[in-house]
Amino acid sequence: MALRFETRRSGSPWVDTVWTCTSEQVTAMTSVAGVCWGLVFWEQDGRAYAGVTGPETRTGSAPVPEGAAFTGIEFAVGTSLRAVPTAALVDGGVELPGTTRRTFRLNGERWETPGPDDAEALVERLVRAGTVVRDPLVAEVLRGHRPAVSGRTVERRFRAATGLTRGAVRQIERARTAAELLAAGDPAADVVAKLDYFDEPHLARALRCYVGRTARQLREGTGGAIALDLDQRLTL
């Protein structure tokens, strides 16, 4: 019983990661908080499906189509669908109607369903068509720059583009990194120091809220299926 992930970083400024996953005798999983919205494509019993996923602010339980094969594109923070505000996708998502094994419909147009190796080519077409857009101010903030606008304006535009506050993005990304380090064998005390948690109870609360696992479960690989690639197969 497992979810088998393969994840790679993307060289596109519009894309965070591209992933594939197969489910074997899994009908439910622990969802994990995440800051990106995405497109996901899957096949099950000869039928094809597609959907838009939103950022997630907390962990929970989610159903898994048994025996399905998935391809997903996680978009960079600060990008968004022109037709759907990212804030409307937070802790949710939408299934796209009329999906076939070859094409899917988005923003009133038909697009070729991508495989993991041509995800960026699809994204380039979506960008050229104006279907996917981004706020350059958010990218500037994420690089550590101080834009020449007020803090209130920065926060308003950041939240409009991402559906989240800057603080929420930092907390979620830190918890996900902590989970990856613990799964790789790092002691909890080292993770606390490396990621600037106040103490181990603080780390434990963050893991419970955002990842749905204890440090021990992450080290031992227990707790059931989880929507996070913890096998450290992240590639370029």
Side-chain angles (χ1 to χ4, degrees):
M1 294 172 51
L3 291 177
R4 301 187 181 279
F5 279 96
E6 292 285 349
T7 306
R8 66 171 174 83
R9 294 287 185 194
S10 175
S12 168
W14 297 86
V15 179
D16 183 56
T17 56
V18 178
W19 57 271
T20 60
C21 177
T22 56
S23 61
E24 300 177 3
Q25 297 181 305
V26 175
T27 58
M29 67 178 181
T30 299
S31 63
V32 177
V35 300
C36 299
W37 70 277
L39 289 173
V40 61
F41 309 89
W42 71 99
E43 291 188 20
Q44 182 191 28
D45 297 332
R47 290 192 60 189
Y49 305 85
V52 182
T53 60
E56 296 184 62
T57 61
R58 58 188 178 272
T59 185
S61 180
V64 177
E66 187 176 357
F70 301 83
T71 297
I73 304 170
E74 295 289 301
F75 285 78
V77 176
T79 64
S80 59
L81 280 170
R82 182 180 294 277
V84 184
T86 306
L89 296 170
V90 173
D91 293 323
V94 293
E95 186 172 327
L96 300 176
T99 299
T100 72
R101 298 184 72 178
R102 296 179 59 86
T103 66
F104 68 102
R105 184 177 293 278
L106 180 66
N107 198 29
E109 297 185 51
R110 279 265 168 208
W111 306 90
E112 186 176 347
T113 301
D117 294 330
D118 49 16
E120 285 85 357
L122 167 66
V123 172
E124 287 179 10
R125 292 193 293 271
L126 293 172
V127 171
R128 287 198 300 268
T131 301
V132 173
V133 296
R134 66 179 171 188
D135 187 335
L137 181 142
V138 174
E140 189 177 348
V141 169
L142 291 172
R143 288 195 298 267
H145 298 164
R146 286 180 170 269
V149 295
S150 70
R152 181 175 294 181
T153 297
V154 169
E155 192 63 49
R156 177 178 55 79
R157 287 177 58 177
F158 194 96
R159 188 155 195 164
T162 69
L164 305 169
T165 65
R166 285 185 289 169
V169 168
R170 286 192 296 268
Q171 292 173 33
I172 292 169
E173 290 188 329
R174 182 167 64 159
R176 290 173 67 99
T177 300
E180 292 165 0
L181 292 173
L182 289 163
D186 285 26
D190 291 355
V191 174
V192 167
K194 187 177 296 185
L195 299 182
D196 200 29
Y197 283 101
F198 183 74
D199 53 20
E200 289 190 34
H202 184 201
L203 169 62
R205 287 192 296 272
L207 293 173
R208 185 168 59 249
C209 177
Y210 298 120
V211 182
R213 290 286 187 275
T214 66
R216 180 175 180 177
Q217 286 174 321
L218 289 163
R219 283 195 303 270
E220 297 177 352
T222 58
I226 187 169
L228 191 64
D229 186 356
L230 295 176
D231 290 336
Q232 300 301 299
R233 292 195 298 270
L234 195 64
T235 59
L236 296 174

